[in-house]
PDB file of all heavy atoms in Angstrom:
ATOM      1  N   TYR M1547      70.496 159.912 161.843  1.00 80.00           N
ATOM      2  CA  TYR M1547      71.801 160.097 161.233  1.00 80.00           C
ATOM      3  C   TYR M1547      72.979 159.743 162.124  1.00 80.00           C
ATOM      4  O   TYR M1547      74.076 160.072 161.865  1.00 80.00           O
ATOM      5  CB  TYR M1547      71.927 161.532 160.648  1.00 80.00           C
ATOM      6  CG  TYR M1547      71.088 161.572 159.399  1.00 80.00           C
ATOM      7  CD1 TYR M1547      69.788 161.920 159.397  1.00 80.00           C
ATOM      8  CD2 TYR M1547      71.667 161.117 158.196  1.00 80.00           C
ATOM      9  CE1 TYR M1547      69.017 161.875 158.275  1.00 80.00           C
ATOM     10  CE2 TYR M1547      70.924 161.067 157.056  1.00 80.00           C
ATOM     11  CZ  TYR M1547      69.564 161.465 157.109  1.00 80.00           C
ATOM     12  OH  TYR M1547      68.840 161.391 155.993  1.00 80.00           O
ATOM     13  N   GLU M1548      72.629 159.025 163.189  1.00 79.00           N
ATOM     14  CA  GLU M1548      73.726 158.518 163.949  1.00 79.00           C
ATOM     15  C   GLU M1548      74.187 157.171 163.349  1.00 79.00           C
ATOM     16  O   GLU M1548      73.419 156.523 162.632  1.00 79.00           O
ATOM     17  CB  GLU M1548      73.269 158.265 165.390  1.00 79.00           C
ATOM     18  CG  GLU M1548      73.388 159.561 166.229  1.00 79.00           C
ATOM     19  CD  GLU M1548      72.419 159.591 167.370  1.00 79.00           C
ATOM     20  OE1 GLU M1548      71.942 158.541 167.792  1.00 79.00           O
ATOM     21  OE2 GLU M1548      72.132 160.676 167.888  1.00 79.00           O
ATOM     22  N   SER M1549      75.417 156.858 163.553  1.00 76.00           N
ATOM     23  CA  SER M1549      75.859 155.548 162.993  1.00 76.00           C
ATOM     24  C   SER M1549      76.500 154.692 164.070  1.00 76.00           C
ATOM     25  O   SER M1549      77.707 154.613 164.177  1.00 76.00           O
ATOM     26  CB  SER M1549      76.956 155.802 161.896  1.00 76.00           C
ATOM     27  OG  SER M1549      76.637 156.950 161.186  1.00 76.00           O
ATOM     28  N   PRO M1550      75.638 154.042 164.850  1.00 79.00           N
ATOM     29  CA  PRO M1550      76.188 153.214 165.908  1.00 79.00           C
ATOM     30  C   PRO M1550      77.036 152.086 165.270  1.00 79.00           C
ATOM     31  O   PRO M1550      76.555 151.339 164.422  1.00 79.00           O
ATOM     32  CB  PRO M1550      74.921 152.605 166.632  1.00 79.00           C
ATOM     33  CG  PRO M1550      73.839 152.846 165.670  1.00 79.00           C
ATOM     34  CD  PRO M1550      74.173 154.008 164.767  1.00 79.00           C
ATOM     35  N   GLY M1551      78.304 152.014 165.694  1.00 74.00           N
ATOM     36  CA  GLY M1551      79.174 150.996 165.172  1.00 74.00           C
ATOM     37  C   GLY M1551      79.375 151.099 163.692  1.00 74.00           C
ATOM     38  O   GLY M1551      79.622 150.118 162.994  1.00 74.00           O
ATOM     39  N   GLY M1552      79.335 152.323 163.201  1.00 72.00           N
ATOM     40  CA  GLY M1552      79.651 152.558 161.751  1.00 72.00           C
ATOM     41  C   GLY M1552      78.532 152.143 160.843  1.00 72.00           C
ATOM     42  O   GLY M1552      78.676 152.215 159.586  1.00 72.00           O
ATOM     43  N   ILE M1553      77.390 151.731 161.400  1.00 77.00           N
ATOM     44  CA  ILE M1553      76.314 151.347 160.511  1.00 77.00           C
ATOM     45  C   ILE M1553      75.462 152.590 160.233  1.00 77.00           C
ATOM     46  O   ILE M1553      74.997 153.272 161.111  1.00 77.00           O
ATOM     47  CB  ILE M1553      75.410 150.303 161.212  1.00 77.00           C
ATOM     48  CG1 ILE M1553      76.251 149.025 161.431  1.00 77.00           C
ATOM     49  CG2 ILE M1553      74.176 149.943 160.349  1.00 77.00           C
ATOM     50  CD1 ILE M1553      75.601 148.062 162.448  1.00 77.00           C
ATOM     51  N   PRO M1554      75.287 152.920 158.953  1.00 80.00           N
ATOM     52  CA  PRO M1554      74.514 154.089 158.598  1.00 80.00           C
ATOM     53  C   PRO M1554      73.031 153.828 158.881  1.00 80.00           C
ATOM     54  O   PRO M1554      72.339 153.184 158.122  1.00 80.00           O
ATOM     55  CB  PRO M1554      74.774 154.256 157.091  1.00 80.00           C
ATOM     56  CG  PRO M1554      75.215 152.902 156.621  1.00 80.00           C
ATOM     57  CD  PRO M1554      75.833 152.189 157.762  1.00 80.00           C
ATOM     58  N   LEU M1555      72.572 154.312 160.023  1.00 87.00           N
ATOM     59  CA  LEU M1555      71.266 153.984 160.548  1.00 87.00           C
ATOM     60  C   LEU M1555      70.144 154.350 159.587  1.00 87.00           C
ATOM     61  O   LEU M1555      69.241 153.545 159.280  1.00 87.00           O
ATOM     62  CB  LEU M1555      71.050 154.679 161.892  1.00 87.00           C
ATOM     63  CG  LEU M1555      70.070 154.039 162.809  1.00 87.00           C
ATOM     64  CD1 LEU M1555      70.439 152.595 163.069  1.00 87.00           C
ATOM     65  CD2 LEU M1555      70.094 154.754 164.175  1.00 87.00           C
ATOM     66  N   ALA M1556      70.214 155.540 159.025  1.00 88.00           N
ATOM     67  CA  ALA M1556      69.171 156.057 158.162  1.00 88.00           C
ATOM     68  C   ALA M1556      69.003 155.098 156.963  1.00 88.00           C
ATOM     69  O   ALA M1556      67.873 154.700 156.605  1.00 88.00           O
ATOM     70  CB  ALA M1556      69.455 157.438 157.666  1.00 88.00           C
ATOM     71  N   PHE M1557      70.116 154.724 156.417  1.00 87.00           N
ATOM     72  CA  PHE M1557      70.037 153.851 155.201  1.00 87.00           C
ATOM     73  C   PHE M1557      69.524 152.472 155.577  1.00 87.00           C
ATOM     74  O   PHE M1557      68.722 151.877 154.866  1.00 87.00           O
ATOM     75  CB  PHE M1557      71.355 153.758 154.493  1.00 87.00           C
ATOM     76  CG  PHE M1557      71.214 153.099 153.167  1.00 87.00           C
ATOM     77  CD1 PHE M1557      70.765 153.817 152.063  1.00 87.00           C
ATOM     78  CD2 PHE M1557      71.542 151.765 152.993  1.00 87.00           C
ATOM     79  CE1 PHE M1557      70.582 153.191 150.850  1.00 87.00           C
ATOM     80  CE2 PHE M1557      71.402 151.170 151.783  1.00 87.00           C
ATOM     81  CZ  PHE M1557      70.987 151.850 150.705  1.00 87.00           C
ATOM     82  N   VAL M1558      69.938 151.972 156.707  1.00 90.00           N
ATOM     83  CA  VAL M1558      69.524 150.660 157.097  1.00 90.00           C
ATOM     84  C   VAL M1558      68.045 150.623 157.374  1.00 90.00           C
ATOM     85  O   VAL M1558      67.338 149.718 156.969  1.00 90.00           O
ATOM     86  CB  VAL M1558      70.313 150.200 158.419  1.00 90.00           C
ATOM     87  CG1 VAL M1558      69.703 148.939 158.980  1.00 90.00           C
ATOM     88  CG2 VAL M1558      71.769 149.950 158.034  1.00 90.00           C
ATOM     89  N   ILE M1559      67.563 151.710 158.055  1.00 91.00           N
ATOM     90  CA  ILE M1559      66.095 151.783 158.227  1.00 91.00           C
ATOM     91  C   ILE M1559      65.390 151.847 156.860  1.00 91.00           C
ATOM     92  O   ILE M1559      64.367 151.150 156.673  1.00 91.00           O
ATOM     93  CB  ILE M1559      65.772 153.010 159.083  1.00 91.00           C
ATOM     94  CG1 ILE M1559      66.270 152.770 160.548  1.00 91.00           C
ATOM     95  CG2 ILE M1559      64.284 153.286 159.102  1.00 91.00           C
ATOM     96  CD1 ILE M1559      66.138 153.961 161.415  1.00 91.00           C
ATOM     97  N   GLY M1560      65.993 152.634 155.967  1.00 91.00           N
ATOM     98  CA  GLY M1560      65.398 152.732 154.628  1.00 91.00           C
ATOM     99  C   GLY M1560      65.327 151.380 153.935  1.00 91.00           C
ATOM    100  O   GLY M1560      64.303 151.001 153.393  1.00 91.00           O
TER     101      GLY M1560
END
Side-chain angles (χ1 to χ4, degrees):
Chain M
Y1547 285 91
E1548 276 155 19
S1549 324
I1553 298 164
L1555 207 52
F1557 190 79
V1558 170
I1559 291 174

